[in-house]
Amino acid sequence: MSVVNQFGKLFNRKPDAPAGGVADDGQDLLATGSLEGAQLRGARGLLNLSVLDLSERTGLAVNTIKRAEATNEFAPINRANANLLVTVLQN
């Protein structure tokens, strides 16, 4: 399975969908609040990135990323930061 397909599965979206993710039912993942910390941890792990690496690539604070990944529930971050994380992890 390619990395793109793995991300599609992690973010519950089609591999060719636009950045930010679209669920199988066509809804924007971030608009529906369905981005989970476990998904972010998994995607970061697939890329072998540390929290510090991801922080440098996104410009977000390390604590923001840690807070987003700390739960298996919906990530407690704003939509702009969630979009940024998903976009960087997908590209």
Side-chain angles (χ1 to χ4, degrees):
M1 179 180 285
S2 74
V3 173
V4 172
N5 288 336
Q6 290 174 354
F7 282 133
K9 186 173 182 177
L10 280 172
F11 292 115
N12 190 27
R13 67 175 209 75
K14 299 171 187 164
D16 58 345
V22 176
D24 291 335
D25 61 3
Q27 293 185 347
D28 182 331
L29 288 174
L30 302 176
T32 60
S34 61
L35 182 66
E36 297 177 2
Q39 292 171 309
L40 293 172
R41 286 191 310 273
R44 186 173 56 77
L46 283 172
L47 293 172
N48 198 27
L49 294 173
S50 69
V51 172
L52 183 58
D53 293 335
L54 186 56
S55 173
E56 290 171 354
R57 289 183 183 202
T58 60
L60 297 175
V62 169
N63 285 340
T64 298
I65 297 169
K66 285 182 178 181
R67 186 176 68 247
E69 291 185 350
T71 180
N72 290 330
E73 304 293 325
F74 302 128
I77 57 174
N78 66 46
R79 186 178 299 168
N81 288 348
N83 271 324
L84 180 59
L85 285 165
V86 170
T87 299
V88 167
L89 289 166
Q90 289 177 340
N91 293 322

